[in-house]
Amino acid sequence: MRKPKQLVPFIMLDDKNHGSPLYRQIYEAIRRAILSGEFSVRMRLPASRVLAQQLGVSRITVVNAYEQLFAEGYLEGKIGDGTFVAAQLPDDLLHIEKRKITAANKSENHLPLRLSPFGERLQSNVKSIRTQTSAIFQPFQNGLTAVDKFPFEIWSRIAARLNRNLPREILGYGEPQGYLPLREAVAAHLTSARGVSCTPAQVIITSGAQQALDLTARIILSEKDSVWIEDPCYQEAKSVFAATGAKVVSVPVDEEGFNLSATPKRGAEKAKLIYVTPSHQYPLGVTMSLPRRLALIEWAKRNDAWIIEDDYNSEFRYAGRPLASLQGLDRDGRVIYMGTFSKTIFPSLRIGCLVVPSDLVDIFTVARALNDVHSSLIEQAILTEFIAEGHFARHIRRMRTLYEERQKILIEECEKHLGDLLEVKKADAGMHLVGWLPEGVSGVNINRRAAKQNLKLAPISSYSSANELPRDGLILGYTAFDKRQIRNAVRKLKAILVEEISK
Ligand SMILES: Cc1ncc(COP(=O)(O)O)c(C=O)c1O
């Protein structure tokens, strides 16, 4: 007589959860059913073959899930000889159920989480701290590179050559400070291109400028300190400083950049750390004048303060010679310089650098070691070769021409189609333009409408802590978009502006 077909209606694979391997989904479903009491103690589970058939997966997938559950003590018996829910599940496991596990695996109980002051600050700002994602390149999104023009064939050739014969020293743990040949290449590049005064011993390779900011903030700041930032300011920097508990003081930027005369003169608000983007203020794009640079360094010296120079975007200058770095003017070891390959290669590479005064090298190195040991040595080695063979310098030259062209297209399209709706002026540097809106028009509203049209704009007001700006503006990134995309995007923007202004 044929055995009745065993049915297991209770296990459902999560169609939406493509990211999780199938065996893991089966494991989770059974575990949840056991913890919720849906699968009772000593209950027999279907044979792996039967469950596999029912779920339309391979038997090995179910076996893997069962094995994990055996290993963790949820099941007992033997695969192939009857599989049962364990008779004695530890009590504390069963109690997990009482707190109910939601689909997102978040506890629904509302007991306060026991966190450090840092954790608590993050918890209360989870919604407001931006996490950057740019999986889809949407027109006007800022900070993205022209990846369609990146020499991937050269990059892959270098990677293939290295992979064929990987030196042992890049397969174990490397120096937390960074791969020495890359530090040498970076020091040479920064010295000649940016007038940075450094040796490779002062260079620390980081996982992008963001890690450089995070390390610096945690090394320098405490809850008692104040940090001065530019207003408007790169919000990812502001969030890092706020997370340390330090007081974040916004200082207005004018056409000469960070304005010392607008800073608090004394008391608890006097800065221990000052964050500036002198070569291309983010987001306004102004360059800090030489007198302001010298005054800032002098102030830091007199007040025993540190300066972070975020030189995120100094390579793309279309007119005149760039001013050398602030760090190059500093004779007293006050400036912590940071750079990134996010704008010259692409952001997902996650390689940036710090140049720190000699006295800080050891502290930054151990902080880096404690944090994530070091960035991938293989990526560091590929980048080193890419620089050493001259491809980096060539790529920057080509991108400078391309980005200048793309900026020109954007300006022409704006002038042709937007007229008085948006004031856009040529910029001598950078990867974005600021389009100034007519007085009283909210960049936030425009942004909301634009998001529905798959445009990624950022209002200047969202970078500022001022209650009211005389005029709001929109950040228009152009480097990652070709002529056709820029044209279409400007047309869409026109419709949005007309709608918002005439409402
Ligand atoms: C002002 C500023 N600093 C730094 C960065 C780069 O950060 P990362 O190297 O972490 O990609 C950006 C990128 O948008 C930026 O705008």
Side-chain angles (χ1 to χ4, degrees):
M1 205 176 81
R2 280 178 65 190
K3 275 204 234 167
K5 205 171 167 196
Q6 260 180 294
L7 287 178
V8 273
F10 31 71
I11 297 176
M12 301 267 288
L13 293 185
D14 181 358
D15 282 346
K16 291 182 211 101
N17 194 1
H18 295 304
S20 171
L22 282 174
Y23 95 88
R24 191 79 205 168
Q25 294 185 35
I26 297 169
Y27 156 86
E28 292 282 1
I30 296 177
R31 182 175 170 274
R32 245 194 325 268
I34 293 173
L35 292 174
S36 67
E38 208 180 313
F39 285 13
S40 54
V41 161
R42 304 275 318 137
M43 188 190 114
R44 187 186 189 116
L45 260 72
S48 53
R49 187 181 38 79
V50 174
L51 183 55
Q53 237 173 23
Q54 173 143 350
L55 296 175
V57 300
S58 75
R59 180 166 171 262
I60 191 71
T61 304
V62 176
V63 169
N64 285 342
Y66 277 10
E67 274 176 356
Q68 184 69 33
L69 291 157
F70 270 109
E72 291 179 15
Y74 290 96
L75 300 182
E76 56 193 20
K78 262 202 214 131
I79 294 179
D81 194 23
T83 304
F84 301 90
V85 174
Q88 296 213 315
L89 283 168
D91 265 2
D92 51 350
L93 271 186
L94 289 168
H95 287 155
I96 292 175
E97 165 46 23
K98 302 212 172 77
R99 290 192 244 136
K100 278 204 177 157
I101 312 281
T102 63
N105 224 5
K106 280 192 180 155
S107 166
E108 274 179 0
N109 79 355
H110 295 295
L111 291 176
L113 300 173
R114 296 187 70 208
L115 304 170
S116 69
F118 175 75
E120 278 167 10
R121 282 190 289 273
L122 293 187
Q123 190 193 25
S124 50
N125 288 299
V126 161
K127 293 225 167 66
S128 60
I129 296 176
R130 280 203 296 229
T131 49
Q132 311 198 39
T133 40
S134 57
I136 323 166
F137 280 43
Q138 288 184 327
F140 299 134
Q141 186 162 2
N142 181 31
L144 296 178
T145 57
V147 281
D148 49 328
K149 305 290 181 198
F150 185 77
F152 282 108
E153 59 309 331
I154 296 173
W155 187 266
S156 325
R157 206 176 332 119
I158 296 173
R161 195 173 66 220
L162 273 167
N163 279 324
R164 268 197 304 277
N165 192 14
L166 276 172
R168 279 185 166 259
E169 73 260 24
I170 64 169
L171 290 174
Y173 290 106
E175 287 182 63
Q177 200 181 337
Y179 184 51
L180 180 59
L182 180 57
R183 287 195 280 122
E184 287 167 346
V186 164
H189 174 73
L190 293 180
T191 305
S192 71
R194 300 294 307 125
V196 171
S197 158
C198 70
T199 66
Q202 286 169 269
V203 175
I204 291 158
I205 302 299
T206 58
S207 177
Q210 195 62 31
Q211 189 184 42
L213 283 166
D214 182 59
L215 292 177
T216 309
R218 285 189 295 123
I219 287 171
I220 306 285
L221 294 173
S222 77
E223 292 175 27
K224 298 192 296 286
D225 298 318
S226 286
V227 51
W228 290 347
I229 61 167
E230 300 167 321
D231 192 347
C233 182
Y234 182 50
Q235 292 297 288
E236 284 69 16
K238 184 179 178 185
S239 301
V240 163
F241 301 136
T244 65
K247 186 166 175 39
V248 181
V249 180
S250 296
V251 179
V253 165
D254 61 21
E255 57 291 342
E256 284 189 69
F258 183 88
N259 189 359
L260 252 189
S261 63
T263 57
K265 294 292 168 276
R266 54 184 69 82
E269 294 200 332
K270 221 158 125 180
K272 182 178 189 187
L273 180 66
I274 305 165
Y275 168 79
V276 283
T277 48
S279 63
H280 186 256
Q281 202 276 331
Y282 192 83
L284 297 182
V286 294
T287 303
M288 194 190 288
S289 66
L290 188 58
R292 290 261 176 103
R293 290 175 188 234
L294 294 169
L296 187 61
I297 293 174
E298 183 55 29
W299 190 94
K301 182 179 154 189
R302 268 192 285 110
N303 292 278
D304 196 15
W306 300 100
I307 301 169
I308 295 180
E309 175 178 23
D310 181 353
D311 203 27
Y312 71 105
N313 193 358
S314 52
E315 309 284 357
F316 301 114
R317 187 143 198 111
Y318 315 114
R321 280 189 57 74
L323 270 183
S325 66
L326 188 69
Q327 193 270 6
L329 298 169
D330 171 28
R331 299 284 164 265
D332 302 288
R334 294 286 103 208
V335 177
I336 296 166
Y337 174 95
M338 55 187 66
T340 178
F341 287 94
S342 290
K343 314 291 168 188
T344 44
I345 307 278
F346 37 77
S348 66
L349 184 67
R350 304 312 305 140
I351 297 186
C353 66
L354 276 159
V355 175
V356 301
S358 302
D359 290 348
L360 289 179
V361 170
D362 290 346
I363 303 165
F364 272 84
T365 303
V366 294
R368 181 73 220 262
L370 291 180
N371 187 244
D372 67 342
V373 188
H374 58 70
S375 301
S376 157
L377 274 183
I378 299 181
E379 305 294 334
Q380 292 188 65
I382 298 171
L383 179 57
T384 307
E385 296 289 299
F386 191 76
I387 299 172
E389 291 177 7
H391 309 298
F392 181 63
R394 199 168 313 122
H395 180 59
I396 289 177
R397 280 199 300 277
R398 286 179 56 235
M399 290 308 99
R400 205 176 281 141
T401 310
L402 178 74
Y403 294 168
E404 189 174 10
E405 234 170 75
R406 289 185 170 180
Q407 190 196 110
K408 204 161 147 241
I409 294 167
L410 175 59
I411 294 175
E412 280 168 11
E413 290 298 310
C414 288
E415 282 173 352
K416 216 184 312 168
H417 298 286
L418 304 183
D420 293 341
L421 299 172
L422 197 70
E423 186 190 329
V424 178
K425 279 201 210 109
K426 181 176 178 303
D428 289 344
M431 297 169 78
H432 71 270
L433 292 174
V434 180
W436 292 102
L437 290 161
E439 239 172 85
V441 177
S442 150
V444 176
N445 288 352
I446 301 283
N447 187 35
R448 208 171 291 130
R449 288 179 193 269
K452 293 189 195 139
Q453 305 273 333
N454 300 325
L455 297 182
K456 199 136 187 164
L457 292 163
I460 291 288
S461 53
S462 69
Y463 291 86
S464 173
S465 57
N467 285 338
E468 216 167 308
L469 296 173
R471 277 166 94 185
D472 205 349
L474 302 171
I475 293 180
L476 306 169
Y478 52 81
T479 47
F481 310 103
D482 64 19
K483 193 171 183 169
R484 187 185 53 82
Q485 289 169 308
I486 293 176
R487 277 195 174 148
N488 288 341
V490 169
R491 290 203 179 120
K492 279 188 188 176
L493 181 57
K494 179 180 182 174
I496 293 164
L497 288 167
V498 169
E499 227 177 295
E500 177 65 21
I501 290 170
S502 60
K503 81 174 181 196

